[in-house]
Amino acid sequence: AFFWLVSLLLSSLIWFIAVKASDPHDEPLQKGLLIFGVMFSVLLQEAFRFLYYKLLRKAIEGLVALSEDGCSPISIQQMAYVAGVGFGLMSGAFSMINLLADALGPGTVGIHGDSQLYFLTSAFMTMVLIFLHTFWGILFFHGCENRRWWEIAAVVVMHLAVSGSTFCNPLYVGSLVPSYLLMAAAAVWAYLLSGGSAQNLRRFLLCK
Amino acid sequence: MITFMNNSDSEDETCNERTSLMSAESPPVPSYQDGLQASEAGEVQTHRKRQTGGSCSSNNVADGDMSDLGVRVRENALENEEEELTLKYGAKHVIMLFVPVTLCMIVVVATIKSVRFYTEKNGQLIYTPFSEDTPSVGQRLLNSVLNTIIMISVIVVMTVFLVVLYKYRCYKFIHGWLILSSLMLLFLFTYIYLGEVLKTYNVAMDYPTLILVIWNFGAVGMICIHWKGPLQLQQAYLIMISALMALVFIKYLPEWSAWVILGAISIYDLMAVLCPKGPLRMLVETAQERNEPIFPALIYSSAMIWTVGMAKPDTAARGPSQQTWDAAEDGRENHSSPSHSDSQILETRSPVPSHPITSLEELEEEERGVKLGLGDFIFYSVLVGKAAATPSGDWNTTLACFVAILIGLCLTLLLLAVFKKALPALPISITFGLIFYFSTDNLVRPFMDTLASHQLYI
């Protein structure tokens, strides 16, 4: 969570400087700057995920060195999951919490002609992002562990795609549908990587 | 951890509060053979000075008995085990401290966001005489710096006074002072708080009910904090009084002064704990020399210490002291005896050179716990509360400060595990908190607002 926060900080710093340095009345420029800010932020987030991975690697080595039987009490997969959840929760919290606070107060959604589904779609979008961050954490760490660069690249591309799809808002079908599809794909992938299989799933569902 | 609060029953008297973070870490007792190692107390100390009345006296437990009376041969063998256990328990300690700090912050933030009273400017303390309603920015800055200087010097004076009192064994005076301050906090501030909350929610309450409630709350609080009580109740009371104090600070400190004071206090804390002549350090060392707990009930302790010590005639003046608290963390204690009124906690490891310890009751057991000074709670909550009180009403700032403080606390505890001595708990957290507050408020907020208005997600 902290690492996500720092990445957010740095990306907003960049955006802020860019905005202040540019003409505030030039609408397309502002929009362009915003898009740039978003993309840059995504890249920074992934960079920080990588840094976090490095840190956790060192921590695991330390734990292994100190433990009695040569294996650490927490595995890298668990750490990947936790890292993903942390990122996701922080990102979700930052996205939603002001909305929620405003939702408690009086008002009408979309009274100025905006979409009436604003709160609902925001909630769904946030949820999909939190899930995605969790899965991306697992995929990313797995890729780093086994040196599979294409996995890492896939995560970055997915993240960019999801953020990019939100540019279609308020055309929600353009953003929510692809995001959910990507989430399903990432979920399956992460599940398989974590050692699950169709067999396990069937056994679990049939309670064997 | 030394938390020191001098409360006066009027706002004119100054209070000192020193808080420090102590970890009671001691290596496990492996067997009855000779060479038991003395427990090392890691203490993390932070200073906090409070000027208004209403601090509670808290028992500082000097967990630092550095008695290495055991045979040194064993030390190396035990060291590795010790390190591993340190790290293993370190994570547990971190969680044990996260929960109360989080609770305190939640209470403060909830109150600030809902009760208008604590964000209204109704005057200032006499310790911050310079007003901030000045026309120019430079003048305002100057005033806040002057306010800070006055406040910090008051705190320094009070701390030194306390150390002097302690050195010359004026215990009665100190106890009386602390009891008076906790009385004020538990009764007066709770009354005001309850009044404001009831006003906000437009709930009517008659005076007899009010008197009953406050009397019960205050009396149970006094007993819990100064004498004996269930551990969780004591922890709850300490959290509540920290929150109350933080709210008082948030209300009565002017804007810029509050931020400068936070920064200055963490610097002061750093110096007071780490410098050889720092008052807190001297306090801790004096307490350790005398094998006494430092002061009553100004420290939040996350676990229970069960110590069963035996006074051996050949060991150097380590009397057994037992402290029992009702909440048993695990049932490893073998022997409990009524605690003294001073609740002395002594972790002693007495070597058993010649005769083996015969009965199980003489086994020393210690539940490792980490202690954090109440002043740390208060200043963390002040930071988060001030972040919540910003006029823009942004929750992102509050959340960011919260995460920053917790990460700072984590790092501090990590350092504590590494250094094993008293460390200041304020500097790292407050630095992170300040950085994140100012950057989130000015940089992240416009970014996130723009993103939210276009419904973009990053």
Side-chain angles (χ1 to χ4, degrees), chain B residues 263-376:
Chain B
I265 257 223
S266 43
I267 299 177
Y268 169 66
D269 190 37
L270 196 65
M271 291 193 321
V273 172
L274 295 179
C275 292
K277 274 301 169 192
L280 275 188
R281 190 171 170 144
M282 288 192 345
L283 191 70
V284 173
E285 285 168 1
T286 318
Q288 285 178 359
E289 281 166 32
R290 298 184 195 167
N291 289 326
E292 286 169 357
I294 299 180
F295 277 115
L298 270 184
I299 286 187
Y300 177 94
S301 127
S302 56
M304 241 190 347
I305 312 283
W306 295 91
T307 47
V308 180
M310 234 171 47
K312 295 217 162 287
D314 49 356
T315 65
R318 305 206 181 276
S321 65
Q322 290 110 17
Q323 179 167 25
T324 60
W325 275 319
D326 288 355
E329 231 183 353
D330 68 6
R332 276 194 302 153
E333 87 280 7
N334 303 311
H335 180 82
S336 59
S337 64
S339 64
H340 307 296
S341 57
D342 290 351
S343 351
Q344 291 194 352
I345 291 184
L346 210 60
E347 295 171 5
T348 64
R349 297 193 169 281
S350 39
V352 189
S354 50
H355 40 100
I357 302 177
T358 49
S359 62
L360 269 181
E361 277 134 20
E362 291 155 4
L363 174 63
E364 286 181 2
E365 289 278 356
E366 284 159 17
E367 188 61 48
R368 285 169 207 74
V370 184
K371 295 180 175 10
L372 182 62
L374 281 194
D376 299 328

Side-chain angles (χ1 to χ4, degrees), chain A residues 10-101:
Chain A
L10 288 176
S11 46
S12 11
L13 177 65
I14 305 283
W15 179 80
F16 191 74
I17 294 176
V19 165
K20 285 298 175 199
S22 66
D23 178 18
H25 296 297
D26 190 358
E27 274 300 323
L29 179 62
Q30 292 297 320
K31 193 91 202 280
L33 274 181
L34 198 61
I35 294 180
F36 160 71
V38 167
M39 293 298 153
F40 190 72
S41 174
V42 167
L43 293 174
L44 259 185
Q45 280 179 42
E46 297 303 324
F48 270 85
R49 212 198 289 270
F50 183 66
L51 282 176
Y52 194 49
Y53 164 75
K54 284 270 173 228
L55 184 70
L56 285 181
R57 220 46 216 113
K58 288 222 167 69
I60 279 204
E61 281 162 21
L63 281 176
V64 165
L66 279 176
S67 77
E68 298 175 330
D69 50 359
C71 55
S72 102
I74 178 169
S75 72
I76 189 81
Q77 285 92 354
Q78 285 170 317
M79 282 196 184
Y81 174 69
V82 168
V85 170
F87 264 58
L89 281 180
M90 212 47 198
S91 137
F94 261 66
S95 311
M96 265 319 265
I97 202 162
N98 278 329
L99 245 65
L100 288 173

Side-chain angles (χ1 to χ4, degrees), chain A residues 2 5-6 8-9 12-13 15-16 34 38 41 45 66 68 90 93-95 97-98 101 118 121-122 125-126 129 163 166-167 169 172, chain B residues 83-84 87 393-396 399-400 403-404 407 432 435-436 439-440 442-444 446-458:
Chain A
F2 183 65
L5 207 58
V6 176
L8 178 67
L9 204 75
S12 11
L13 177 65
W15 179 80
F16 191 74
L34 198 61
V38 167
S41 174
Q45 280 179 42
L66 279 176
E68 298 175 330
M90 212 47 198
F94 261 66
S95 311
I97 202 162
N98 278 329
Y118 186 78
T121 49
S122 298
M125 197 65 206
T126 312
L129 255 185
S163 283
T166 60
F167 291 140
N169 284 340
Y172 293 124
Chain B
E83 246 182 66
E84 177 191 324
L87 274 178
D394 191 30
W395 281 87
N396 285 343
L399 196 59
V403 171
I407 295 290
F432 276 176
I435 293 176
F436 271 83
S439 51
T440 313
N442 298 321
L443 297 174
V444 176
F447 187 44
M448 291 306 284
D449 285 343
T450 324
L451 284 182
S453 65
H454 293 278
Q455 221 176 3
L456 298 177
Y457 281 86
I458 54 168

Side-chain angles (χ1 to χ4, degrees), chain B residues 211-271:
Chain B
I211 291 178
L212 197 70
V213 166
I214 293 202
W215 169 251
N216 277 322
F217 181 79
V220 174
M222 289 300 291
I223 294 176
C224 257
I225 295 171
H226 293 279
W227 194 45
K228 283 188 283 192
L231 181 68
Q232 292 190 317
L233 198 58
Q234 188 190 38
Q235 291 174 336
Y237 267 104
L238 290 176
I239 293 175
M240 281 191 268
I241 61 180
S242 309
L244 283 174
M245 253 335 273
L247 285 169
V248 166
F249 268 152
I250 294 173
K251 181 172 171 62
Y252 286 111
L253 286 179
E255 277 289 331
W256 290 16
S257 305
W259 295 110
V260 183
I261 285 177
L262 275 175
I265 257 223
S266 43
I267 299 177
Y268 169 66
D269 190 37
L270 196 65
M271 291 193 321

